Amino acid sequence: WCGFLRSLLSVLVSPRMAGLRVDFGLLLEPLGFIKVLEWIFSIFAFATCGGFQGETTLQVSCKGVANKTVTAAFAYPFRLNTVVFSAPDPKRCGGTWTDVYLVGNFSSSAQFFVTLAVLSFLYCIAALVVYIGYKRVYQQNSKFPLTDLAITVITAFLWLVSTFSWATALADIKMSTGASAIPGIESCKAPGTTCRFASVTSMKTLNVSVVFGLLNMVLWGGNIWFVYKDTNLHNQSKRIPQQSP
């Protein structure tokens, strides 16, 4: 991304800026159309993941307390090991209730996914500016298509890694905030104390974020060919004469 953005900046501050020609027709071609889809899907990817807020609740009965709801609120970037359940009552079940934290820190996977989505969003804007306004410069300067190709290949690979990493983390988040978390809560094992899982916020939006991650992976992977067609590598391969058998 940085190399492409530096090249873009050098074009914009050079005298060649006077040759700006806006042509939205490129958006109807695969190179521009796919870039618009990448731009849109990157927005949905970081919005559905980075904007999530939820909570998980338990029903607790202990000394002097019957069916009290305790809540643990969690959100992006999902550092669950810093999230604590509220105490059932001011006396903390007669002193038997200690601070109960959720399990796991999934911030690395979540932040990797969201950061990639934001960078993809910014790069798509820069690329569309060049495609629409400086298509001639893009075609005449071989560094632009080659840089674009390199970034597209790297981004496709990063979407593959980040999406599967985030999908794995999401499965663990569901385990840590679901009913399976109760056996690991020591306060619920105290004499006279019972804990029952009540509910957890629906994570459909997080599931959708994984879907958009996969779509971005497919889009960036498929776009490699269309970017490659504008590079000297493709033009040189067409000039190589076919050897007769």
Side-chain angles (χ1 to χ4, degrees):
W1 297 280
C2 294
F4 187 87
L5 292 176
R6 282 197 298 267
S7 299
L8 172 61
L9 182 61
S10 66
V11 170
L12 295 180
V13 299
S14 69
R16 300 175 70 177
M17 182 179 178
L20 171 66
R21 292 186 178 181
V22 178
D23 180 12
F24 289 99
L26 184 71
L27 298 180
L28 301 178
E29 300 178 11
L31 187 66
F33 182 71
I34 293 178
K35 191 63 65 182
V36 172
L37 290 180
E38 291 171 348
W39 176 67
I40 294 174
F41 286 1
S42 65
I43 295 175
F44 283 108
F46 69 72
T48 52
C49 179
F52 181 83
Q53 293 183 339
E55 62 180 25
T56 180
T57 59
L58 305 178
Q59 292 287 339
V60 178
S61 296
C62 58
K63 185 178 179 180
V65 176
N67 293 326
K68 179 69 174 182
T69 299
V70 297
T71 303
F74 59 96
Y76 173 87
F78 305 103
R79 295 188 179 94
L80 300 187
N81 56 346
T82 65
V83 177
V84 63
F85 278 101
S86 57
D89 68 323
K91 296 182 179 180
R92 305 176 71 86
C93 291
T96 63
W97 185 272
T98 58
D99 287 340
V100 177
Y101 290 86
L102 295 176
V103 178
N105 183 351
F106 308 99
S107 60
S108 58
S109 297
Q111 289 176 324
F112 180 24
F113 183 83
V114 171
T115 300
L116 178 60
V118 172
L119 290 175
S120 298
F121 166 78
L122 296 175
Y123 176 72
C124 287
I125 293 177
L128 286 171
V129 169
V130 174
Y131 291 169
I132 296 173
Y134 297 92
K135 180 60 176 178
R136 178 176 297 181
V137 177
Y138 178 86
Q139 293 175 331
Q140 292 177 349
N141 189 338
S142 61
K143 292 182 180 179
F144 275 105
L146 288 174
T147 302
D148 197 11
L149 176 62
I151 292 176
T152 302
V153 172
I154 293 172
T155 305
F157 174 73
L158 291 178
W159 273 116
L160 170 66
V161 175
S162 66
T163 299
F164 281 95
S165 175
W166 168 233
T168 301
L170 178 56
D172 293 335
I173 290 171
K174 292 178 179 179
M175 291 286 291
S176 297
T177 58
S180 58
I182 293 180
I185 300 177
E186 293 299 325
S187 295
C188 293
K189 301 177 183 178
T193 299
T194 58
C195 298
R196 182 175 60 86
F197 177 75
S199 65
V200 65
T201 301
S202 173
M203 299 188 189
K204 291 181 180 179
T205 56
L206 297 181
N207 294 335
V208 172
S209 71
V210 175
V211 173
F212 278 109
L214 294 173
L215 290 174
N216 274 292
M217 179 187 68
V218 172
L219 277 175
W220 285 87
N223 199 30
I224 292 175
W225 166 249
F226 296 104
V227 178
Y228 170 74
K229 287 174 64 177
D230 279 345
T231 64
N232 288 337
L233 299 176
H234 180 256
N235 295 331
Q236 290 173 0
S237 66
K238 291 194 299 183
R239 296 193 192 103
I240 298 177
Q242 298 292 332
Q243 296 181 353
S244 58

